Every structure is written in C-alpha cells, then in structure tokens.
Amino acid sequence: MNKKTLVMLLALVMIFGVFATSCGQKPAETETPETETESEETTTVDSSLPGFERGNVLTVGGTSPDGVFNPILYSTVYDGYICELVYDSLLSNDESGSLITDYSLTESFEQNEDLTEFVFHLRDGIKWHDGEAFTAEDVAFTFNTIAKPDYTGRSYTDGFANIVGAQDVKDGKAETISGIEVVDPLTVKVNMIEPRANNLYTTAISIIPKHVFDGMTFDQMSEKSREPIGTGAFKLVKYQPEQFVELAKNEEYWNTVPSIDGVIYKVVPEQDILSELQVGTIDAASFSSSIDNYNKVDSADFQHLELINKMNNGYSYAAFNFKNLALQDKNVRQALTYALDRHGFVNTFFGEKGGFVCHTPISPVSWAYPNMDDMNQYEFNKEKAIELLEEAGWVLPEGKTVREKDGVPLKFTWVSYN
C-alpha cells in the first residue's frame, strides 16, 4: 500500500490586501462640460500634491515582472498584471465571479443544456494593436497552441483536457483540436467530452494573435512576448527589466477608451513602498498589512493618499506533520489548536484591520467559502485542551512540567519564518 504524507491545517490567518492610491491622480471627468468655466473646474488638480508633474499617468509600484507578457505563457502574477491591461479574454466576469460578455471579445454565446457545447459570437470590428483584424482564427489558434505537446504553461488543465480532441493534440495524435470549430470569421464552436460545472470557465481565456505567433516555437514566443500585441485598453511602450513597464492607452480601443493617458508599473522593493508613496514617486501600491504599516499610513505624511483595505485570497497557516507519532492522534491535534490563542496571535501582528482567524483554506471572497456556523471555530480554551490531552493518555506526572504517555514526552518542533 502506498503511503502518503498527510497534512492537517492548524491555524489559518486570512490577510487583507492593503492598497494605497494617490488622491491627486484622479482622471479627468469624461462628460463634456456645458461651459468653459465648468471645464476648468473638472480638470483642476492641486499642483502641490506629490506626483502632479507626471500628469494623467498612473504610476504603480510593485515587484519586478519576468517580462513574459503573454497570457498563455506567463507564470508570475506581476506579468499577469500587464497581460490583463494588454489582452482581452473570450469572456469576463462580474464581481460575483459569474461569467459575462461585458468587456470581453464575445458579443453573445449559446450553450446546450448539459454544458458540453458552446457557440461564441465574437464582436465585429475589433483590431489588434498593430491594426490587424481580430477573428475566430485567433481564438482557435490560442486553444490549439495551449494543447501542443511541448506546451508547459499554466493554461493546460484538467478542464482544458475535457475539450474534445485536446488530449489527442497533447499526445501528438492530431495537429488541431477537433472540438474547436471556426464556423465563420466571427463564430467559434467549442465541444466538451462530458458535462462539467466548470466547462464554460475553461473557455474564458485571453486570446493571442495568430498572425504574430503562428509558426513560432515556445522559446520564440516567450522572447516576442516582451513586445506584446493585444486587443486591450493599453499598449506596451517600453519594458526595462528590473526597472519599469510603460503602457499607453489604446486610442482605438473597441470599448471605452481609458480616461488616463497611461500606466507605469515601477519596480519598487517592498521595504521602499511606503516611502515612495509618501514622497509621491509612485501613485499606488499594495503593501503588507502589519500594525507598523497601518500606523505609518495613518500619519499626516500620508494624507494625500487614500487607503483601500481589501481582503485578498491569501492565508497563512501552520501544519501538523503526521510523521510525529503524537500528532497522528486527532485528540492531540485538536488540543493543540484549542491551546493556541490564534486570535491573540493575529491581532498582535496584523491588528484588527489587517487580518483575522479563519477556519478553512478558502477566502471569504470565494464562492466556495462555507457557512461559519457549520464550522468548529476552536476558540481558545485551555481547559478543553487539557481534557483532550488526558483523554488521549498524555498525562502530567507529579513534579514534571511536560506531559508524557508511556514514558515518552509530548514534544514537537514548530518551524516558521522570521
């Protein structure tokens, strides 16, 4: 029998995402003013605010991207930030996570009852940044590229393999996916092998241009990705590795043209984020939600900024190692969880604004977050911990300070970061 290393979650900490943005870099009003006087009022910005000299360009500070600005090849979230501005996807989603056609390349779509066939009607008139027309061939090319045998990117998932013929291409048995059909220049049909709840989500990918990447190896595509050609609201102007990415608004964007002239993603070390926000060399950035950071941004030096405290999808946790015989006992694991004041631990470092104890490895921002009333929340309870340990046979011998069972002391090592 194969043995598996088992891990049990002990203490989950849900962390808020903290984002600061300059109050002085708000875009000008997009409505046409009725009079010249009103026009001057809507465009006036306090010239004393930090960053005023940069004009209507948003400068964001963050971690250095790898320069793989291709939605089917990138692996870091920082490259993903750029991809989201440069490329559009077949479908988008609303705040609840539901898939919609708004802001997407699809004008409308149909699906059959068991969600195994989807027909996408693409928007007419969309252009790539180089002026070439976007068509259904680009959609089919993107899907077929992801299915290639030598593709090792993040997009080929179990869900993608559920497309009819995708695995045949991956196995080298076919050149193209039989389940992807170009019906006409603006219509694509996708067929799935079996009904699954996530079938439609599998199709909601960003699309790359066939006329740019056709015939390239993945190494060549990766190199070309530093000069991305998308259909999105922003065009890449310049990428300086380890320094910045400069983007300009796409004046011919098929949807609403951005009200800012451009975006600069500036590489800023984590320890310098707050100081650069303070002096105005960047307009916006996210930073870790510690009590020290909250105290800093509450000071007068940061009054020109607006703090946005938004929960993200991350959590920190401690895990039980089942190789320790004592921790193989459920009563011991539960006792240790009751014995750790997790709320006190979280509040000491993150404070009330920065995080809270959760009881599942799923963020409350996710649709899958359970009802907390159905969960044992393991409130700090020293007496309950002692009761469970003694039930498990771990007793405290007279004159000793460490519990034992059959002469073996209860001990383990907790490994953590600084």
Side-chain angles (χ1 to χ4, degrees):
M1 181 176 66
N2 292 330
K3 295 184 178 180
K4 296 181 179 180
T5 301
L6 303 178
V7 173
M8 186 74 174
L9 298 180
L10 166 61
L12 296 177
V13 181
M14 199 64 65
I15 310 301
F16 287 97
V18 185
F19 195 82
T21 182
S22 170
C23 298
Q25 294 296 316
K26 294 180 180 178
E29 298 290 339
T30 56
E31 296 182 2
T32 303
E34 294 182 2
T35 67
E36 184 177 351
T37 302
E38 290 180 357
S39 176
E40 292 176 355
E41 291 176 353
T42 57
T43 57
T44 297
V45 179
D46 185 354
S47 61
S48 66
L49 289 170
F52 173 81
E53 71 283 354
R54 284 193 299 278
N56 196 28
V57 174
L58 178 69
T59 301
V60 181
T63 301
S64 178
D66 290 338
V68 184
F69 307 131
N70 184 315
I72 70 169
L73 295 182
Y74 80 88
S75 58
T76 73
V77 66
Y78 314 108
D79 290 284
Y81 294 155
I82 307 302
C83 289
E84 288 178 356
L85 297 176
V86 173
Y87 294 91
D88 292 315
S89 55
L90 198 57
L91 290 172
S92 60
N93 57 274
D94 59 20
E95 291 183 355
S96 71
S98 299
L99 291 173
I100 57 175
T101 56
D102 296 352
Y103 317 109
S104 78
L105 298 168
T106 298
E107 186 170 43
S108 64
F109 70 92
E110 296 109 37
Q111 59 190 30
N112 63 358
E113 188 174 350
D114 65 358
L115 303 182
T116 57
E117 182 178 284
F118 305 95
V119 179
F120 299 94
H121 302 283
L122 308 177
R123 298 182 190 276
D124 193 10
I126 294 180
K127 302 286 186 181
W128 293 99
H129 292 163
D130 59 5
E132 292 288 328
F134 162 75
T135 72
E137 292 291 342
D138 296 306
V139 177
F141 173 77
T142 303
F143 277 85
N144 283 313
T145 301
I146 293 171
K148 284 186 176 182
D150 54 342
Y151 176 75
T152 58
R154 60 203 293 275
S155 298
Y156 194 86
T157 61
D158 180 64
F160 199 94
N162 193 42
I163 301 173
V164 173
Q167 193 61 44
D168 288 338
V169 177
K170 176 61 70 176
D171 294 339
K173 299 176 182 179
E175 291 293 325
T176 58
I177 302 174
S178 58
I180 303 294
E181 178 186 351
V182 175
V183 179
D184 60 48
L186 293 176
T187 308
V188 179
K189 182 186 292 185
V190 180
N191 287 286
M192 299 290 185
I193 297 172
E194 63 180 15
R196 292 184 185 178
N198 66 339
N199 276 349
L200 185 60
Y201 281 86
T202 298
T203 68
I205 60 175
S206 295
I207 305 302
I208 60 175
K210 178 180 180 179
H211 71 279
V212 173
F213 294 112
D214 194 15
M216 288 188 180
T217 65
F218 282 110
D219 286 341
Q220 291 171 331
M221 289 179 66
S222 183
E223 185 65 28
K224 186 66 176 177
S225 295
R226 294 195 170 195
E227 303 171 356
I229 301 295
T231 58
F234 290 89
K235 299 179 178 181
L236 190 139
V237 176
K238 186 176 182 180
Y239 166 56
Q240 191 68 38
E242 304 296 330
Q243 295 186 42
F244 66 86
V245 182
E246 181 181 357
L247 302 160
K249 69 178 177 181
N250 180 7
E251 297 282 6
E252 289 78 39
Y253 187 46
W254 60 269
N255 205 331
T256 305
V257 175
S259 57
I260 58 175
D261 296 328
V263 176
I264 294 176
Y265 183 88
K266 179 182 177 182
V267 177
V268 181
E270 170 70 21
Q271 65 269 21
D272 297 334
I273 288 287
L274 289 183
S275 60
E276 294 221 18
L277 283 169
Q278 180 180 343
V279 300
T281 50
I282 57 176
D283 302 310
S286 60
F287 55 90
S288 59
S289 50
S290 67
I291 291 178
D292 288 344
N293 284 342
Y294 277 110
N295 290 338
K296 287 178 182 178
V297 299
D298 278 341
S299 69
D301 293 333
F302 290 84
Q303 293 307 301
H304 61 287
L305 298 168
E306 178 183 0
L307 181 67
I308 301 172
N309 210 13
K310 185 178 181 181
M311 192 184 305
N312 64 25
N313 205 33
Y315 59 87
S316 300
Y317 69 93
F320 292 116
N321 185 348
F322 278 36
K323 291 182 179 180
N324 185 316
L325 296 179
L327 299 180
Q328 292 178 9
D329 190 320
K330 181 177 70 173
N331 280 3
V332 174
R333 299 195 300 271
Q334 291 182 336
L336 292 174
T337 309
Y338 279 118
L340 177 63
D341 184 5
R342 294 179 294 161
H343 295 277
F345 181 87
V346 171
N347 287 333
T348 297
F349 183 80
F350 297 104
E352 294 182 357
K353 297 179 181 179
F356 63 90
V357 176
C358 64
H359 310 281
T360 173
I362 301 172
S363 169
V365 302
S366 169
W367 62 269
Y369 189 68
N371 184 343
M372 281 297 97
D373 292 338
D374 298 332
M375 305 291 291
N376 182 355
Q377 300 189 24
Y378 290 93
E379 300 290 347
F380 179 54
N381 189 331
K382 184 178 178 180
E383 291 72 24
K384 180 67 173 178
I386 293 173
E387 176 185 332
L388 287 168
L389 286 175
E390 293 189 344
E391 283 182 12
W394 294 95
V395 297
L396 189 61
E398 185 175 352
K400 294 190 176 182
T401 58
V402 177
R403 291 183 175 271
E404 296 180 358
K405 182 177 181 179
D406 301 327
V408 178
L410 176 59
K411 64 179 182 179
F412 57 90
T413 301
W414 188 349
V415 180
S416 184
Y417 44 80
N418 291 337

